[in-house]
Amino acid sequence: MAVAIAVTRERRDGETRCAVTPETVKKLVAMGATVTVEAGTGAGSSIPDDDYAAAGATVAKDTKAVLSGADILLKVRGPTAQETSALKPGAIVVALLDAYRDKETVTALAGANATAFAMEFVPRISRAQVMDALSSQANLAGYRAVIEAAYAYGKGFPMMMTAAGTVAPAKVFIMGVGVAGLQAIATARRLGAVVTATDVRPATKEQVESLGAKFLAVEDEEFKNAQTAGGYAKPMSPEYQAKQAALTGEHIKKQDIVITTALIPGRAAPVLVSAAQVATMKPGSVLIDLAVEAGGNVEGARAGEVVTTANGVQIVGHTNLPGRIASDASSLYAKNLVAFVGLMIKDGALALDMEDEILKASAVTHGGAVVHEGVRG
């Protein structure tokens, strides 16, 4: 019997992405699966229902009917309580669960005896690169952050020589040089800005400079050992943070645009820019906080809002930046999911190997319990 894959439309506020595209429907069908898509699933990504049907999916309006027979449910965000309650026992759910923070959804999935995998927990190993949803979405978030900054900033990005005089290039400072930060650097450079960047991981210095930006950091012994084996930034000591804050504080005063991207898995986002530092910036300057949903890197940032300070600086707290470029974000995420689902289907049948290193690392609930140590604790 073919593996039944269901995809429901996203019901979380502001979520415009979707978990499958017509291209990935074809790939899932080629694996031997059947795909049922809820009507309206692709609306936020400009994908009509007819395109899904033409690719081989069944399009249904009844949400419960879509879910009741599903072996695998694919989502962008975690399922709602109503969706979870409609799943059959033992169903598999794959989504960006935000498992550290959304404990309610995780608990509900365990209670429903669902096997849930969090795409944010896909390990950063070679064979999992094509499944790395965090990177695919962060790449687009970094690009979109610069576009949002250009929109909010009241001046041009590149130097312009005109008969009436010269327009100076924008000064852009990127704080946090992961996937999002690197794409922000590249995009700001393409637009003609003078770009500087900082990160606590020493390996990023060469990456920053290769993109034509200048690297800024206190390069002491702690800095040289500030990266985990998995490629993430380690929390830094208060002493280092103070030295780095002094250096960046002086730099921030001179910047037109600051984009912050720093996240630490399982913890609140570190505050990189204090209210006192924001107060030193020039009127018309812009801060884009990509970590606002995790508490924010900029003091005073508010999720979903644009705050204008007393000194005329805008702090932009847009959530879900990949969702502001939904068509491409959905396309990349859907391909991540196809690769992940490929681990669970063999010869057209469901073959779930919980000892596979990728599935094991990504599993959050299984057998009626929360099995991910970091989430369970």
Side-chain angles (χ1 to χ4, degrees):
M1 189 173 178
V3 178
I5 296 177
V7 184
T8 54
R9 63 183 178 83
E10 296 299 317
R11 289 175 165 80
R12 306 278 178 156
D13 289 344
E15 187 52 75
T16 53
R17 294 170 292 177
C18 57
V20 292
T21 63
E23 178 186 357
T24 61
V25 166
K26 292 177 183 177
K27 292 180 179 180
L28 293 168
V29 170
M31 290 181 190
T34 63
V35 181
T36 303
V37 177
E38 183 181 5
T41 288
S45 299
S46 304
I47 303 173
D49 290 340
D50 288 348
D51 287 4
Y52 285 122
T58 299
V59 179
K61 293 183 179 180
D62 187 333
T63 309
K64 287 186 178 180
V66 171
L67 292 169
S68 61
D71 297 308
I72 301 173
L73 170 63
L74 302 181
K75 297 282 294 180
V76 178
R77 302 286 180 120
T80 63
Q82 291 77 14
E83 289 174 321
T84 299
S85 64
L87 292 169
K88 69 180 185 182
I92 296 167
V93 177
V94 187
L96 290 163
L97 291 175
D98 193 14
Y100 286 127
R101 290 183 294 173
D102 191 358
K103 297 296 181 67
E104 184 177 347
T105 295
V106 170
T107 301
L109 287 166
N113 196 29
T115 295
F117 295 99
M119 289 299 285
E120 65 266 30
F121 291 158
V122 168
R124 286 185 165 172
I125 58 177
S126 296
R127 63 183 281 254
Q129 284 182 341
V130 70
M131 309 168 201
D132 188 353
L134 285 185
S135 291
S136 74
Q137 301 305 291
N139 190 52
L140 293 172
Y143 163 80
R144 187 69 194 194
V146 177
I147 302 304
E148 295 293 340
Y151 177 79
Y153 185 52
K155 301 176 183 179
F157 262 54
M159 175 182 286
M160 298 184 218
M161 309 288 287
T162 76
T166 300
V167 174
K171 295 177 182 176
V172 177
F173 184 36
I174 312 297
M175 303 185 73
V177 188
V179 174
L182 288 169
Q183 184 58 249
I185 292 168
T187 303
R189 287 281 297 153
R190 289 189 199 106
L191 289 177
V194 174
V195 183
T196 51
T198 189
D199 195 288
V200 296
R201 295 167 300 163
T204 60
K205 179 178 180 179
E206 185 177 344
Q207 295 171 313
V208 167
E209 292 173 346
S210 72
L211 291 171
K214 183 178 178 181
F215 190 74
L216 182 80
V218 175
E219 299 184 39
D220 60 9
E221 283 302 312
E222 185 174 357
F223 171 77
K224 294 175 184 177
N225 297 286
Q227 185 169 323
T228 68
Y232 293 102
K234 290 181 181 178
M236 304 300 284
S237 70
E239 293 76 19
Y240 183 89
Q241 291 178 34
K243 290 187 289 185
Q244 181 72 0
L247 177 66
T248 58
E250 285 301 310
H251 191 66
I252 285 169
K253 291 179 185 179
K254 306 166 189 174
Q255 302 307 298
D256 301 305
I257 293 164
V258 177
I259 297 174
T260 63
T261 73
L263 290 166
I264 300 174
R267 300 182 59 176
V271 175
L272 303 181
V273 184
S274 67
Q277 290 171 331
V278 174
T280 68
M281 296 181 72
K282 298 170 287 187
S285 300
V286 176
L287 295 111
I288 308 286
D289 191 341
L290 268 68
V292 70
E293 291 177 86
N297 297 145
V298 180
E299 191 174 359
R302 296 178 193 160
E305 297 182 30
V306 178
V307 176
T308 302
T309 66
N311 59 317
V313 175
Q314 291 185 70
I315 305 174
V316 178
H318 294 324
T319 58
N320 189 17
L321 279 178
R324 288 174 173 259
I325 185 168
S327 181
D328 287 329
S330 296
S331 176
L332 295 181
Y333 179 66
K335 290 174 183 175
N336 296 143
L337 286 180
V338 165
F340 191 88
V341 169
L343 299 175
M344 298 184 277
I345 298 177
K346 306 296 181 187
D347 300 321
L350 193 62
L352 189 61
D353 177 10
M354 293 301 290
E355 292 305 310
D356 179 282
E357 62 182 328
I358 297 173
L359 296 180
K360 189 173 183 179
S362 306
V364 176
T365 67
H366 182 62
V370 177
V371 296
H372 190 283
E373 186 176 344
V375 176
R376 187 175 59 235

